[in-house]
Amino acid sequence: MASGILYVVGIGPGAQDHATPAALAAIADAEVVVGYTTYIKLVRHLIDGKEVVRTGMTEEIARARAAVERARDGARVALVSSGDAGVYGMAGLVFQVLGDLGWRRGDSPELRIVPGITALSSCASRVGAPLVHDFCAISLSDLLTPWPVIARRIEAAAAADFVVGLYNPASGRRTRQIALAQAILRRHRAGTTPVALVKSAYRKLEHSVLTDLDTFLDHEIGMLTTVLVGSSSTYVYEGYMVTPRGYGNKYTHDGDVRPGQRPGHSLVPGEPGGEP
Ligand code: SAH
């Protein structure tokens, strides 16, 4: 039997302009395209004449299995996810299905994992430069992860002063988690901490709001929203959300090195910084 290829493809946030040429080439090369209906719609202009396996949101396991089996039997298959398929995407499930089948490297199918722009990057670009210093991503979905585990991670991220990107913040039925997350973060950060809500970045009906930790729950937050919570040094400038990299700790605005600091060497702590 011919060896098949399984492309696991992230198509970015939405519009084709933000899918990589490699992602588009993978879809073009595939004979079979598998994905959640919304994502298939985003690439519908690329799939004329191909066999398309569309499935709903809750059929992820069936979708991954269908893609793996078709590819194992010799087809070139593209399994399509939004953003990056390796970030809360289908790539993990592919390995589970392969494991169940006893697949080994060198067996059919050949795996090709194609990266895409994840929501954190696309959403950040819409509101400024919020991720320029240390950040982490946390999914608020407790469908597959127990809430106490998620709460512990929010607590740790909040205490360690990370910028926090919240994926899957809420859905029609699931609205409690974002309120609990707000309460945890608020214990560690000022109520004025900048918070951005970015819905459907680079898609139709895109909408962004720049607000703060005390009041962001007053705005609509749903399945297509990513929530970006600033660190203690994140600030708002001309309607943009910015987290400084720390240049102001070492250099003055004129570009001179601050007293006691040396370029190319570790920052000497305790000196007054030029950035918040
Ligand atoms: N693999 C995807 C993430 C899937 S989890 C990626 O890498 O982006 C689904 C969550 O991602 C959504 O609940 C939302 O929080 C976020 N998301 C995905 N696409 C988005 C977009 N275009 N705009 C805003 N948030 C998005």
Side-chain angles (χ1 to χ4, degrees), residues 12-14 39 57 81-90 116-120 122-123 139 166-170 174 198-203 222-227:
Y39 308 145
M57 185 82 114
S81 269
S82 77
D84 187 308
V87 179
Y88 305 117
M90 293 293 290
I117 299 176
T118 189
L120 263 187
S122 57
C123 295
S139 168
L166 299 173
Y167 284 75
N168 301 301
R174 205 169 48 73
V198 184
K199 180 186 163 195
S200 296
Y202 298 96
R203 295 185 192 175
M223 269 174 57
L224 295 172
T225 309
T226 295
V227 178

PDB file of all heavy atoms in Angstrom, residues 12-14 39 57 81-90 116-120 122-123 139 166-170 174 198-203 222-227, ligand 1:
ATOM      1  N   GLY A  12      -3.874  29.774  10.844  1.00  0.00           N
ATOM      2  CA  GLY A  12      -3.849  31.142  11.363  1.00  0.00           C
ATOM      3  C   GLY A  12      -5.232  31.578  11.814  1.00  0.00           C
ATOM      4  O   GLY A  12      -6.166  30.775  11.867  1.00  0.00           O
ATOM      5  N   PRO A  13      -5.372  32.858  12.153  1.00  0.00           N
ATOM      6  CA  PRO A  13      -6.594  33.316  12.807  1.00  0.00           C
ATOM      7  C   PRO A  13      -7.830  33.343  11.914  1.00  0.00           C
ATOM      8  O   PRO A  13      -8.950  33.290  12.412  1.00  0.00           O
ATOM      9  CB  PRO A  13      -6.241  34.733  13.250  1.00  0.00           C
ATOM     10  CG  PRO A  13      -5.143  35.169  12.327  1.00  0.00           C
ATOM     11  CD  PRO A  13      -4.359  33.914  12.045  1.00  0.00           C
ATOM     12  N   GLY A  14      -7.658  33.468  10.597  1.00  0.00           N
ATOM     13  CA  GLY A  14      -8.860  33.589   9.777  1.00  0.00           C
ATOM     14  C   GLY A  14      -8.544  33.759   8.321  1.00  0.00           C
ATOM     15  O   GLY A  14      -8.479  32.786   7.585  1.00  0.00           O
ATOM     16  N   TYR A  39     -13.643  26.135  10.221  1.00  0.00           N
ATOM     17  CA  TYR A  39     -12.294  26.286   9.658  1.00  0.00           C
ATOM     18  C   TYR A  39     -12.280  25.895   8.192  1.00  0.00           C
ATOM     19  O   TYR A  39     -11.561  26.495   7.393  1.00  0.00           O
ATOM     20  CB  TYR A  39     -11.273  25.457  10.454  1.00  0.00           C
ATOM     21  CG  TYR A  39     -11.333  25.723  11.925  1.00  0.00           C
ATOM     22  CD1 TYR A  39     -11.110  24.724  12.855  1.00  0.00           C
ATOM     23  CD2 TYR A  39     -11.644  27.001  12.396  1.00  0.00           C
ATOM     24  CE1 TYR A  39     -11.194  24.970  14.210  1.00  0.00           C
ATOM     25  CE2 TYR A  39     -11.733  27.262  13.744  1.00  0.00           C
ATOM     26  CZ  TYR A  39     -11.508  26.244  14.646  1.00  0.00           C
ATOM     27  OH  TYR A  39     -11.597  26.495  15.978  1.00  0.00           O
ATOM     28  N   MET A  57     -17.977  20.427  16.279  1.00  0.00           N
ATOM     29  CA  MET A  57     -16.997  20.691  17.333  1.00  0.00           C
ATOM     30  C   MET A  57     -16.758  19.509  18.273  1.00  0.00           C
ATOM     31  O   MET A  57     -15.653  19.288  18.727  1.00  0.00           O
ATOM     32  CB  MET A  57     -17.542  21.868  18.143  1.00  0.00           C
ATOM     33  CG  MET A  57     -16.627  22.359  19.201  1.00  0.00           C
ATOM     34  SD  MET A  57     -15.425  23.436  18.480  1.00  0.00           S
ATOM     35  CE  MET A  57     -15.880  24.960  19.237  1.00  0.00           C
ATOM     36  N   SER A  81      -6.698  23.019  11.497  1.00  0.00           N
ATOM     37  CA  SER A  81      -7.086  23.686  12.750  1.00  0.00           C
ATOM     38  C   SER A  81      -6.942  25.179  12.547  1.00  0.00           C
ATOM     39  O   SER A  81      -6.149  25.623  11.716  1.00  0.00           O
ATOM     40  CB  SER A  81      -6.109  23.336  13.881  1.00  0.00           C
ATOM     41  OG  SER A  81      -6.471  22.236  14.630  1.00  0.00           O
ATOM     42  N   SER A  82      -7.627  25.971  13.359  1.00  0.00           N
ATOM     43  CA  SER A  82      -7.381  27.410  13.320  1.00  0.00           C
ATOM     44  C   SER A  82      -6.118  27.720  14.121  1.00  0.00           C
ATOM     45  O   SER A  82      -5.644  26.896  14.914  1.00  0.00           O
ATOM     46  CB  SER A  82      -8.558  28.171  13.916  1.00  0.00           C
ATOM     47  OG  SER A  82      -8.521  28.094  15.315  1.00  0.00           O
ATOM     48  N   GLY A  83      -5.561  28.882  13.894  1.00  0.00           N
ATOM     49  CA  GLY A  83      -4.373  29.292  14.644  1.00  0.00           C
ATOM     50  C   GLY A  83      -3.220  28.350  14.352  1.00  0.00           C
ATOM     51  O   GLY A  83      -2.885  28.107  13.191  1.00  0.00           O
ATOM     52  N   ASP A  84      -2.635  27.801  15.405  1.00  0.00           N
ATOM     53  CA  ASP A  84      -1.580  26.797  15.291  1.00  0.00           C
ATOM     54  C   ASP A  84      -2.170  25.468  15.749  1.00  0.00           C
ATOM     55  O   ASP A  84      -2.738  25.398  16.847  1.00  0.00           O
ATOM     56  CB  ASP A  84      -0.401  27.201  16.178  1.00  0.00           C
ATOM     57  CG  ASP A  84       0.803  26.287  15.992  1.00  0.00           C
ATOM     58  OD1 ASP A  84       0.653  25.058  16.081  1.00  0.00           O
ATOM     59  OD2 ASP A  84       1.896  26.811  15.757  1.00  0.00           O
ATOM     60  N   ALA A  85      -2.047  24.438  14.933  1.00  0.00           N
ATOM     61  CA  ALA A  85      -2.655  23.147  15.270  1.00  0.00           C
ATOM     62  C   ALA A  85      -2.018  22.525  16.512  1.00  0.00           C
ATOM     63  O   ALA A  85      -2.581  21.630  17.137  1.00  0.00           O
ATOM     64  CB  ALA A  85      -2.537  22.192  14.091  1.00  0.00           C
ATOM     65  N   GLY A  86      -0.834  23.019  16.890  1.00  0.00           N
ATOM     66  CA  GLY A  86      -0.143  22.501  18.068  1.00  0.00           C
ATOM     67  C   GLY A  86      -0.417  23.315  19.323  1.00  0.00           C
ATOM     68  O   GLY A  86       0.175  23.055  20.371  1.00  0.00           O
ATOM     69  N   VAL A  87      -1.289  24.320  19.249  1.00  0.00           N
ATOM     70  CA  VAL A  87      -1.652  25.122  20.425  1.00  0.00           C
ATOM     71  C   VAL A  87      -3.145  24.928  20.667  1.00  0.00           C
ATOM     72  O   VAL A  87      -3.967  25.450  19.915  1.00  0.00           O
ATOM     73  CB  VAL A  87      -1.334  26.619  20.209  1.00  0.00           C
ATOM     74  CG1 VAL A  87      -1.751  27.433  21.430  1.00  0.00           C
ATOM     75  CG2 VAL A  87       0.151  26.821  19.918  1.00  0.00           C
ATOM     76  N   TYR A  88      -3.482  24.159  21.681  1.00  0.00           N
ATOM     77  CA  TYR A  88      -4.884  23.785  21.937  1.00  0.00           C
ATOM     78  C   TYR A  88      -5.550  23.321  20.635  1.00  0.00           C
ATOM     79  O   TYR A  88      -6.711  23.653  20.383  1.00  0.00           O
ATOM     80  CB  TYR A  88      -5.669  24.952  22.536  1.00  0.00           C
ATOM     81  CG  TYR A  88      -5.068  25.540  23.795  1.00  0.00           C
ATOM     82  CD1 TYR A  88      -4.621  26.855  23.833  1.00  0.00           C
ATOM     83  CD2 TYR A  88      -4.937  24.773  24.947  1.00  0.00           C
ATOM     84  CE1 TYR A  88      -4.074  27.397  24.982  1.00  0.00           C
ATOM     85  CE2 TYR A  88      -4.383  25.306  26.101  1.00  0.00           C
ATOM     86  CZ  TYR A  88      -3.961  26.619  26.113  1.00  0.00           C
ATOM     87  OH  TYR A  88      -3.420  27.147  27.245  1.00  0.00           O
ATOM     88  N   GLY A  89      -4.802  22.605  19.818  1.00  0.00           N
ATOM     89  CA  GLY A  89      -5.326  22.197  18.515  1.00  0.00           C
ATOM     90  C   GLY A  89      -5.323  20.685  18.354  1.00  0.00           C
ATOM     91  O   GLY A  89      -5.186  19.932  19.321  1.00  0.00           O
ATOM     92  N   MET A  90      -5.444  20.259  17.114  1.00  0.00           N
ATOM     93  CA  MET A  90      -5.656  18.845  16.823  1.00  0.00           C
ATOM     94  C   MET A  90      -4.377  18.010  16.879  1.00  0.00           C
ATOM     95  O   MET A  90      -4.444  16.782  16.857  1.00  0.00           O
ATOM     96  CB  MET A  90      -6.276  18.699  15.426  1.00  0.00           C
ATOM     97  CG  MET A  90      -7.684  19.255  15.318  1.00  0.00           C
ATOM     98  SD  MET A  90      -8.871  18.328  16.299  1.00  0.00           S
ATOM     99  CE  MET A  90      -8.925  16.801  15.352  1.00  0.00           C
ATOM    100  N   GLY A 116       1.116  27.589  12.449  1.00  0.00           N
ATOM    101  CA  GLY A 116       0.299  28.737  12.052  1.00  0.00           C
ATOM    102  C   GLY A 116       0.383  29.821  13.112  1.00  0.00           C
ATOM    103  O   GLY A 116       0.917  29.595  14.200  1.00  0.00           O
ATOM    104  N   ILE A 117      -0.146  30.977  12.810  1.00  0.00           N
ATOM    105  CA  ILE A 117      -0.158  32.088  13.783  1.00  0.00           C
ATOM    106  C   ILE A 117      -1.226  31.788  14.828  1.00  0.00           C
ATOM    107  O   ILE A 117      -2.414  31.708  14.500  1.00  0.00           O
ATOM    108  CB  ILE A 117      -0.491  33.419  13.098  1.00  0.00           C
ATOM    109  CG1 ILE A 117       0.555  33.763  12.031  1.00  0.00           C
ATOM    110  CG2 ILE A 117      -0.584  34.541  14.128  1.00  0.00           C
ATOM    111  CD1 ILE A 117       0.224  35.031  11.245  1.00  0.00           C
ATOM    112  N   THR A 118      -0.808  31.616  16.065  1.00  0.00           N
ATOM    113  CA  THR A 118      -1.780  31.306  17.123  1.00  0.00           C
ATOM    114  C   THR A 118      -2.518  32.570  17.586  1.00  0.00           C
ATOM    115  O   THR A 118      -2.038  33.696  17.355  1.00  0.00           O
ATOM    116  CB  THR A 118      -1.066  30.615  18.302  1.00  0.00           C
ATOM    117  OG1 THR A 118      -2.046  30.134  19.220  1.00  0.00           O
ATOM    118  CG2 THR A 118      -0.123  31.557  19.036  1.00  0.00           C
ATOM    119  N   ALA A 119      -3.668  32.362  18.238  1.00  0.00           N
ATOM    120  CA  ALA A 119      -4.508  33.495  18.657  1.00  0.00           C
ATOM    121  C   ALA A 119      -3.737  34.505  19.510  1.00  0.00           C
ATOM    122  O   ALA A 119      -3.971  35.710  19.400  1.00  0.00           O
ATOM    123  CB  ALA A 119      -5.733  32.988  19.417  1.00  0.00           C
ATOM    124  N   LEU A 120      -2.815  34.025  20.342  1.00  0.00           N
ATOM    125  CA  LEU A 120      -2.067  34.982  21.172  1.00  0.00           C
ATOM    126  C   LEU A 120      -1.353  36.007  20.301  1.00  0.00           C
ATOM    127  O   LEU A 120      -1.373  37.203  20.589  1.00  0.00           O
ATOM    128  CB  LEU A 120      -1.025  34.244  22.030  1.00  0.00           C
ATOM    129  CG  LEU A 120      -1.405  33.903  23.452  1.00  0.00           C
ATOM    130  CD1 LEU A 120      -0.193  33.338  24.182  1.00  0.00           C
ATOM    131  CD2 LEU A 120      -1.936  35.106  24.208  1.00  0.00           C
ATOM    132  N   SER A 122      -1.951  36.742  16.979  1.00  0.00           N
ATOM    133  CA  SER A 122      -2.835  37.560  16.145  1.00  0.00           C
ATOM    134  C   SER A 122      -3.571  38.583  17.004  1.00  0.00           C
ATOM    135  O   SER A 122      -3.704  39.749  16.622  1.00  0.00           O
ATOM    136  CB  SER A 122      -3.806  36.682  15.354  1.00  0.00           C
ATOM    137  OG  SER A 122      -4.561  35.860  16.186  1.00  0.00           O
ATOM    138  N   CYS A 123      -4.048  38.161  18.164  1.00  0.00           N
ATOM    139  CA  CYS A 123      -4.802  39.086  19.026  1.00  0.00           C
ATOM    140  C   CYS A 123      -3.892  40.188  19.573  1.00  0.00           C
ATOM    141  O   CYS A 123      -4.289  41.352  19.644  1.00  0.00           O
ATOM    142  CB  CYS A 123      -5.483  38.315  20.157  1.00  0.00           C
ATOM    143  SG  CYS A 123      -6.759  37.183  19.532  1.00  0.00           S
ATOM    144  N   SER A 139      -5.841  27.952  29.157  1.00  0.00           N
ATOM    145  CA  SER A 139      -7.192  27.738  28.641  1.00  0.00           C
ATOM    146  C   SER A 139      -8.144  27.623  29.820  1.00  0.00           C
ATOM    147  O   SER A 139      -7.873  26.887  30.767  1.00  0.00           O
ATOM    148  CB  SER A 139      -7.254  26.461  27.810  1.00  0.00           C
ATOM    149  OG  SER A 139      -8.624  26.143  27.565  1.00  0.00           O
ATOM    150  N   LEU A 166      -5.685  34.277  27.982  1.00  0.00           N
ATOM    151  CA  LEU A 166      -6.702  33.262  28.307  1.00  0.00           C
ATOM    152  C   LEU A 166      -7.409  32.816  27.035  1.00  0.00           C
ATOM    153  O   LEU A 166      -8.114  33.604  26.382  1.00  0.00           O
ATOM    154  CB  LEU A 166      -7.720  33.833  29.298  1.00  0.00           C
ATOM    155  CG  LEU A 166      -7.155  34.273  30.660  1.00  0.00           C
ATOM    156  CD1 LEU A 166      -8.229  34.984  31.480  1.00  0.00           C
ATOM    157  CD2 LEU A 166      -6.594  33.083  31.432  1.00  0.00           C
ATOM    158  N   TYR A 167      -7.189  31.547  26.659  1.00  0.00           N
ATOM    159  CA  TYR A 167      -7.922  30.924  25.555  1.00  0.00           C
ATOM    160  C   TYR A 167      -9.213  30.332  26.115  1.00  0.00           C
ATOM    161  O   TYR A 167      -9.294  30.033  27.320  1.00  0.00           O
ATOM    162  CB  TYR A 167      -7.109  29.775  24.933  1.00  0.00           C
ATOM    163  CG  TYR A 167      -5.959  30.176  24.035  1.00  0.00           C
ATOM    164  CD1 TYR A 167      -4.771  30.669  24.569  1.00  0.00           C
ATOM    165  CD2 TYR A 167      -6.046  30.032  22.651  1.00  0.00           C
ATOM    166  CE1 TYR A 167      -3.699  30.997  23.734  1.00  0.00           C
ATOM    167  CE2 TYR A 167      -4.977  30.360  21.814  1.00  0.00           C
ATOM    168  CZ  TYR A 167      -3.807  30.844  22.364  1.00  0.00           C
ATOM    169  OH  TYR A 167      -2.758  31.172  21.544  1.00  0.00           O
ATOM    170  N   ASN A 168     -10.198  30.116  25.256  1.00  0.00           N
ATOM    171  CA  ASN A 168     -11.473  29.507  25.657  1.00  0.00           C
ATOM    172  C   ASN A 168     -12.034  30.139  26.934  1.00  0.00           C
ATOM    173  O   ASN A 168     -12.368  29.428  27.895  1.00  0.00           O
ATOM    174  CB  ASN A 168     -11.298  27.999  25.902  1.00  0.00           C
ATOM    175  CG  ASN A 168     -10.797  27.277  24.669  1.00  0.00           C
ATOM    176  OD1 ASN A 168     -11.435  27.310  23.619  1.00  0.00           O
ATOM    177  ND2 ASN A 168      -9.645  26.641  24.780  1.00  0.00           N
ATOM    178  N   PRO A 169     -12.129  31.476  26.988  1.00  0.00           N
ATOM    179  CA  PRO A 169     -12.503  32.117  28.261  1.00  0.00           C
ATOM    180  C   PRO A 169     -13.934  31.814  28.691  1.00  0.00           C
ATOM    181  O   PRO A 169     -14.212  31.751  29.888  1.00  0.00           O
ATOM    182  CB  PRO A 169     -12.328  33.609  27.970  1.00  0.00           C
ATOM    183  CG  PRO A 169     -12.480  33.735  26.485  1.00  0.00           C
ATOM    184  CD  PRO A 169     -11.888  32.472  25.920  1.00  0.00           C
ATOM    185  N   ALA A 170     -14.839  31.625  27.731  1.00  0.00           N
ATOM    186  CA  ALA A 170     -16.249  31.407  28.076  1.00  0.00           C
ATOM    187  C   ALA A 170     -16.972  30.863  26.852  1.00  0.00           C
ATOM    188  O   ALA A 170     -16.490  30.978  25.729  1.00  0.00           O
ATOM    189  CB  ALA A 170     -16.905  32.723  28.504  1.00  0.00           C
ATOM    190  N   ARG A 174     -20.724  28.134  29.577  1.00  0.00           N
ATOM    191  CA  ARG A 174     -19.596  28.164  30.501  1.00  0.00           C
ATOM    192  C   ARG A 174     -19.185  29.618  30.753  1.00  0.00           C
ATOM    193  O   ARG A 174     -18.433  30.211  29.994  1.00  0.00           O
ATOM    194  CB  ARG A 174     -18.444  27.372  29.862  1.00  0.00           C
ATOM    195  CG  ARG A 174     -17.448  26.801  30.835  1.00  0.00           C
ATOM    196  CD  ARG A 174     -16.521  25.823  30.160  1.00  0.00           C
ATOM    197  NE  ARG A 174     -15.980  26.353  28.922  1.00  0.00           N
ATOM    198  CZ  ARG A 174     -15.065  27.305  28.849  1.00  0.00           C
ATOM    199  NH1 ARG A 174     -14.562  27.850  29.952  1.00  0.00           N
ATOM    200  NH2 ARG A 174     -14.641  27.736  27.676  1.00  0.00           N
ATOM    201  N   VAL A 198     -10.140  40.432  22.625  1.00  0.00           N
ATOM    202  CA  VAL A 198     -10.097  40.431  21.159  1.00  0.00           C
ATOM    203  C   VAL A 198     -10.970  39.292  20.652  1.00  0.00           C
ATOM    204  O   VAL A 198     -10.744  38.123  20.962  1.00  0.00           O
ATOM    205  CB  VAL A 198      -8.663  40.266  20.628  1.00  0.00           C
ATOM    206  CG1 VAL A 198      -8.654  40.382  19.104  1.00  0.00           C
ATOM    207  CG2 VAL A 198      -7.740  41.311  21.246  1.00  0.00           C
ATOM    208  N   LYS A 199     -11.999  39.675  19.913  1.00  0.00           N
ATOM    209  CA  LYS A 199     -12.930  38.676  19.383  1.00  0.00           C
ATOM    210  C   LYS A 199     -12.717  38.535  17.878  1.00  0.00           C
ATOM    211  O   LYS A 199     -12.621  39.541  17.172  1.00  0.00           O
ATOM    212  CB  LYS A 199     -14.363  39.132  19.671  1.00  0.00           C
ATOM    213  CG  LYS A 199     -15.423  38.187  19.171  1.00  0.00           C
ATOM    214  CD  LYS A 199     -16.802  38.806  19.381  1.00  0.00           C
ATOM    215  CE  LYS A 199     -17.827  38.092  18.542  1.00  0.00           C
ATOM    216  NZ  LYS A 199     -19.065  38.852  18.453  1.00  0.00           N
ATOM    217  N   SER A 200     -12.621  37.293  17.410  1.00  0.00           N
ATOM    218  CA  SER A 200     -12.559  37.011  15.965  1.00  0.00           C
ATOM    219  C   SER A 200     -11.490  37.810  15.226  1.00  0.00           C
ATOM    220  O   SER A 200     -11.767  38.409  14.184  1.00  0.00           O
ATOM    221  CB  SER A 200     -13.926  37.263  15.321  1.00  0.00           C
ATOM    222  OG  SER A 200     -14.867  36.371  15.837  1.00  0.00           O
ATOM    223  N   ALA A 201     -10.293  37.820  15.767  1.00  0.00           N
ATOM    224  CA  ALA A 201      -9.193  38.552  15.126  1.00  0.00           C
ATOM    225  C   ALA A 201      -9.042  38.116  13.675  1.00  0.00           C
ATOM    226  O   ALA A 201      -9.038  36.921  13.377  1.00  0.00           O
ATOM    227  CB  ALA A 201      -7.885  38.292  15.879  1.00  0.00           C
ATOM    228  N   TYR A 202      -8.946  39.064  12.775  1.00  0.00           N
ATOM    229  CA  TYR A 202      -8.739  38.826  11.337  1.00  0.00           C
ATOM    230  C   TYR A 202      -9.867  38.028  10.690  1.00  0.00           C
ATOM    231  O   TYR A 202      -9.665  37.336   9.699  1.00  0.00           O
ATOM    232  CB  TYR A 202      -7.368  38.170  11.078  1.00  0.00           C
ATOM    233  CG  TYR A 202      -6.241  39.064  11.525  1.00  0.00           C
ATOM    234  CD1 TYR A 202      -5.673  38.900  12.789  1.00  0.00           C
ATOM    235  CD2 TYR A 202      -5.787  40.097  10.721  1.00  0.00           C
ATOM    236  CE1 TYR A 202      -4.665  39.739  13.235  1.00  0.00           C
ATOM    237  CE2 TYR A 202      -4.776  40.943  11.149  1.00  0.00           C
ATOM    238  CZ  TYR A 202      -4.223  40.757  12.416  1.00  0.00           C
ATOM    239  OH  TYR A 202      -3.228  41.605  12.853  1.00  0.00           O
ATOM    240  N   ARG A 203     -11.059  38.097  11.315  1.00  0.00           N
ATOM    241  CA  ARG A 203     -12.248  37.477  10.713  1.00  0.00           C
ATOM    242  C   ARG A 203     -13.342  38.532  10.618  1.00  0.00           C
ATOM    243  O   ARG A 203     -13.239  39.596  11.213  1.00  0.00           O
ATOM    244  CB  ARG A 203     -12.775  36.338  11.601  1.00  0.00           C
ATOM    245  CG  ARG A 203     -11.833  35.184  11.739  1.00  0.00           C
ATOM    246  CD  ARG A 203     -12.488  34.068  12.524  1.00  0.00           C
ATOM    247  NE  ARG A 203     -11.484  33.080  12.897  1.00  0.00           N
ATOM    248  CZ  ARG A 203     -11.715  32.034  13.677  1.00  0.00           C
ATOM    249  NH1 ARG A 203     -12.912  31.835  14.180  1.00  0.00           N
ATOM    250  NH2 ARG A 203     -10.746  31.183  13.952  1.00  0.00           N
ATOM    251  N   GLY A 222     -16.866  35.609  24.761  1.00  0.00           N
ATOM    252  CA  GLY A 222     -17.422  34.336  24.305  1.00  0.00           C
ATOM    253  C   GLY A 222     -16.362  33.407  23.748  1.00  0.00           C
ATOM    254  O   GLY A 222     -15.162  33.600  23.971  1.00  0.00           O
ATOM    255  N   MET A 223     -16.825  32.425  23.001  1.00  0.00           N
ATOM    256  CA  MET A 223     -15.952  31.374  22.470  1.00  0.00           C
ATOM    257  C   MET A 223     -14.929  31.874  21.471  1.00  0.00           C
ATOM    258  O   MET A 223     -13.930  31.215  21.220  1.00  0.00           O
ATOM    259  CB  MET A 223     -16.812  30.343  21.729  1.00  0.00           C
ATOM    260  CG  MET A 223     -17.278  29.232  22.610  1.00  0.00           C
ATOM    261  SD  MET A 223     -18.411  28.155  21.739  1.00  0.00           S
ATOM    262  CE  MET A 223     -17.459  27.629  20.341  1.00  0.00           C
ATOM    263  N   LEU A 224     -15.207  33.026  20.881  1.00  0.00           N
ATOM    264  CA  LEU A 224     -14.291  33.534  19.859  1.00  0.00           C
ATOM    265  C   LEU A 224     -13.431  34.664  20.396  1.00  0.00           C
ATOM    266  O   LEU A 224     -12.825  35.422  19.645  1.00  0.00           O
ATOM    267  CB  LEU A 224     -15.089  33.998  18.636  1.00  0.00           C
ATOM    268  CG  LEU A 224     -15.820  32.846  17.932  1.00  0.00           C
ATOM    269  CD1 LEU A 224     -16.746  33.373  16.851  1.00  0.00           C
ATOM    270  CD2 LEU A 224     -14.810  31.866  17.355  1.00  0.00           C
ATOM    271  N   THR A 225     -13.411  34.787  21.739  1.00  0.00           N
ATOM    272  CA  THR A 225     -12.637  35.860  22.368  1.00  0.00           C
ATOM    273  C   THR A 225     -11.356  35.308  22.979  1.00  0.00           C
ATOM    274  O   THR A 225     -11.359  34.223  23.560  1.00  0.00           O
ATOM    275  CB  THR A 225     -13.463  36.514  23.508  1.00  0.00           C
ATOM    276  OG1 THR A 225     -14.751  36.871  23.016  1.00  0.00           O
ATOM    277  CG2 THR A 225     -12.755  37.742  24.075  1.00  0.00           C
ATOM    278  N   THR A 226     -10.280  36.055  22.839  1.00  0.00           N
ATOM    279  CA  THR A 226      -9.077  35.805  23.630  1.00  0.00           C
ATOM    280  C   THR A 226      -8.906  36.989  24.573  1.00  0.00           C
ATOM    281  O   THR A 226      -9.082  38.141  24.169  1.00  0.00           O
ATOM    282  CB  THR A 226      -7.837  35.657  22.725  1.00  0.00           C
ATOM    283  OG1 THR A 226      -8.009  34.494  21.918  1.00  0.00           O
ATOM    284  CG2 THR A 226      -6.559  35.502  23.547  1.00  0.00           C
ATOM    285  N   VAL A 227      -8.601  36.692  25.841  1.00  0.00           N
ATOM    286  CA  VAL A 227      -8.455  37.732  26.865  1.00  0.00           C
ATOM    287  C   VAL A 227      -6.967  37.873  27.187  1.00  0.00           C
ATOM    288  O   VAL A 227      -6.305  36.883  27.499  1.00  0.00           O
ATOM    289  CB  VAL A 227      -9.241  37.347  28.140  1.00  0.00           C
ATOM    290  CG1 VAL A 227      -9.060  38.409  29.221  1.00  0.00           C
ATOM    291  CG2 VAL A 227     -10.722  37.142  27.827  1.00  0.00           C
TER     292      VAL A 227
HETATM  293  N1  SAH B   1      -5.391  26.385  17.813  1.00  0.00           N
HETATM  294  C1  SAH B   1      -5.956  27.701  18.120  1.00  0.00           C
HETATM  295  C2  SAH B   1      -6.622  27.748  19.485  1.00  0.00           C
HETATM  296  C3  SAH B   1      -7.846  26.877  19.618  1.00  0.00           C
HETATM  297  S1  SAH B   1      -8.625  27.049  21.188  1.00  0.00           S
HETATM  298  C4  SAH B   1      -4.863  28.764  18.014  1.00  0.00           C
HETATM  299  O1  SAH B   1      -3.682  28.423  17.967  1.00  0.00           O
HETATM  300  O2  SAH B   1      -5.208  29.949  17.970  1.00  0.00           O
HETATM  301  C5  SAH B   1      -9.968  28.146  20.775  1.00  0.00           C
HETATM  302  C6  SAH B   1      -9.747  29.522  21.404  1.00  0.00           C
HETATM  303  O3  SAH B   1      -8.716  30.215  20.682  1.00  0.00           O
HETATM  304  C7  SAH B   1     -10.931  30.455  21.349  1.00  0.00           C
HETATM  305  O4  SAH B   1     -11.826  30.216  22.435  1.00  0.00           O
HETATM  306  C8  SAH B   1     -10.273  31.824  21.476  1.00  0.00           C
HETATM  307  O5  SAH B   1      -9.922  32.074  22.827  1.00  0.00           O
HETATM  308  C9  SAH B   1      -8.972  31.597  20.694  1.00  0.00           C
HETATM  309  N2  SAH B   1      -9.047  32.059  19.289  1.00  0.00           N
HETATM  310  C10 SAH B   1      -8.891  31.288  18.192  1.00  0.00           C
HETATM  311  N3  SAH B   1      -8.979  32.026  17.075  1.00  0.00           N
HETATM  312  C11 SAH B   1      -9.207  33.310  17.463  1.00  0.00           C
HETATM  313  C12 SAH B   1      -9.399  34.555  16.756  1.00  0.00           C
HETATM  314  N4  SAH B   1      -9.379  34.615  15.429  1.00  0.00           N
HETATM  315  N5  SAH B   1      -9.614  35.672  17.501  1.00  0.00           N
HETATM  316  C13 SAH B   1      -9.646  35.626  18.841  1.00  0.00           C
HETATM  317  N6  SAH B   1      -9.468  34.484  19.555  1.00  0.00           N
HETATM  318  C14 SAH B   1      -9.253  33.333  18.871  1.00  0.00           C
END
